[in-house]
Amino acid sequence: MSEPDAAPRQETAVTSDAIESPLLEVTGLRKEFGGVVAVDGATFSVAEGSLTGLIGPNGAGKSTTFNCITGIHEPTGGRVTFDGQNITGLPPYTLANQGLVRTFQIARELSEMTVLENVMLAPGGQVGESVIRSVTPGLRGDVVKAETAVRDRAWETLEFFEIDHLAHENAGNLSGGQRKLLEMARVLMTEPEMILLDEPLAGVNPTLEEKLLERIHELRREQGLTFLLVEHDMDVIMNNCEHIIVMHQGSVLAEGDAETITSDERVLEAYLGGDV
């Protein structure tokens, strides 16, 4: 792989103290499928407020690691800790309520619903309708107020990702890049502390790619959100992530900043085939 372009690195406020007290900590994670070991003792941590990259060749175990962290798969062994709490094996909806959410390689929008409706469905704990609320004036007012608040937040979120002009378009009619923006909007509506991004830029044109990266850095800067990013575009990883984790054959091979990773002979051999 070629060296990344000499684009300016994004500034980060992450310190060594933050890394010593991580928001997410994965320890000895293992996942077996029958006789196949997909993740084999992976151990790493993610600092609060950071944009951390997770890379590795195909079959390295990145997506399975994501799935084990976020409750899609139950780990065979190991431990996952988020914000000081053991979350190993908890289901995705429980993790979302605790502030840990993810996106997918292929966006999972509700295609027959509008963009606005997709975003409004995302927050948990909504009041909703019931027979009693519909016939009780005071309770009915609570429903209206709650729905108005969610709608207002949804519009603000669509504006943030610059897709508010698509609010009344069916989600199934969006382009691949627009669906990625919609998925990010839906995730943001859950009010997360940390977002795991599984190849968010795959199939996205350069203009939308730049927009997504700008929004990610703005969310870090303005809201203090933490991101763990799987991405095959090494220029994106090297120019945007201050800490990079390299997986190989289900385990963590190396960690460090871009300079450390690109000069690590083990990484060059495993990930780049020895071709600098």
Side-chain angles (χ1 to χ4, degrees):
M1 180 184 62
S2 61
E3 289 287 329
D5 295 336
R9 295 290 302 277
Q10 295 284 344
E11 293 185 359
T12 173
V14 175
T15 66
S16 58
D17 289 338
I19 295 174
E20 291 172 1
S21 302
L23 181 62
L24 177 74
E25 190 166 14
V26 177
T27 307
L29 190 67
R30 183 177 179 88
K31 180 60 182 177
E32 302 174 7
F33 296 98
V36 177
V37 179
V39 181
D40 188 11
T43 296
F44 61 87
S45 60
V46 179
E48 184 174 3
S50 71
L51 173 53
T52 298
L54 180 62
I55 66 173
N58 290 334
K62 304 182 299 297
S63 291
T64 303
T65 297
F66 259 38
N67 288 337
C68 288
I69 293 171
T70 56
I72 305 297
H73 297 323
E74 184 172 355
T76 306
R79 179 184 177 96
V80 181
T81 303
F82 176 68
D83 200 15
Q85 302 295 316
N86 182 8
I87 62 167
T88 312
L90 293 181
Y93 63 86
T94 300
L95 298 178
N97 289 335
Q98 294 185 9
L100 179 65
V101 295
R102 66 166 296 172
T103 65
F104 292 86
Q105 293 180 22
I106 300 175
R108 300 185 175 188
E109 75 285 345
L110 299 172
S111 59
E112 299 302 317
M113 300 183 71
T114 68
V115 168
L116 179 61
E117 289 168 340
N118 267 265
V119 175
M120 288 184 66
L121 279 176
Q126 297 192 54
V127 176
E129 293 283 4
S130 71
V131 174
I132 293 178
R133 290 192 179 97
S134 67
V135 298
T136 305
L139 295 180
R140 175 61 182 168
D142 291 341
V143 173
V144 173
K145 289 179 182 178
E147 183 175 342
T148 299
V150 170
R151 181 178 292 272
D152 290 344
R153 279 187 55 219
W155 274 107
E156 291 174 1
T157 304
L158 292 177
E159 290 171 0
F160 178 77
F161 287 103
E162 299 181 21
I163 53 172
D164 49 305
H165 62 289
L166 299 169
H168 300 298
E169 185 75 39
N170 276 5
N173 296 335
L174 302 183
S175 68
Q178 290 168 340
R179 291 177 184 180
K180 294 294 181 75
L181 292 169
L182 172 58
E183 185 168 34
M184 284 291 294
R186 291 172 62 188
V187 162
L188 192 58
M189 285 290 288
T190 68
E191 299 184 294
E193 290 184 52
M194 180 173 182
I195 303 174
L196 280 68
L197 301 170
D198 195 355
E199 297 190 37
L201 306 178
V204 175
N205 67 51
T207 300
L208 287 181
E209 176 180 304
E210 183 178 356
K211 183 183 298 184
L212 267 171
L213 289 170
E214 286 176 354
R215 295 300 174 267
I216 288 168
H217 284 292
E218 186 173 348
L219 289 169
R220 291 180 60 205
R221 184 173 60 252
E222 301 296 333
Q223 298 188 27
L225 296 189
T226 303
F227 292 89
L228 179 60
L229 168 66
V230 168
E231 178 58 50
H232 286 296
D233 187 329
M234 289 299 99
D235 283 344
V236 168
I237 292 291
M238 299 302 168
N239 290 324
N240 290 277
C241 298
E242 66 270 15
H243 189 73
I244 301 165
I245 301 159
V246 184
M247 291 191 68
H248 180 56
Q249 297 180 347
S251 301
V252 174
L253 179 65
E255 293 187 65
D257 59 18
E259 183 177 357
T260 299
I261 293 303
T262 54
S263 61
D264 191 311
E265 293 295 334
R266 297 170 302 165
V267 176
L268 298 177
E269 180 65 27
Y271 195 91
L272 311 177
D275 181 19
V276 181

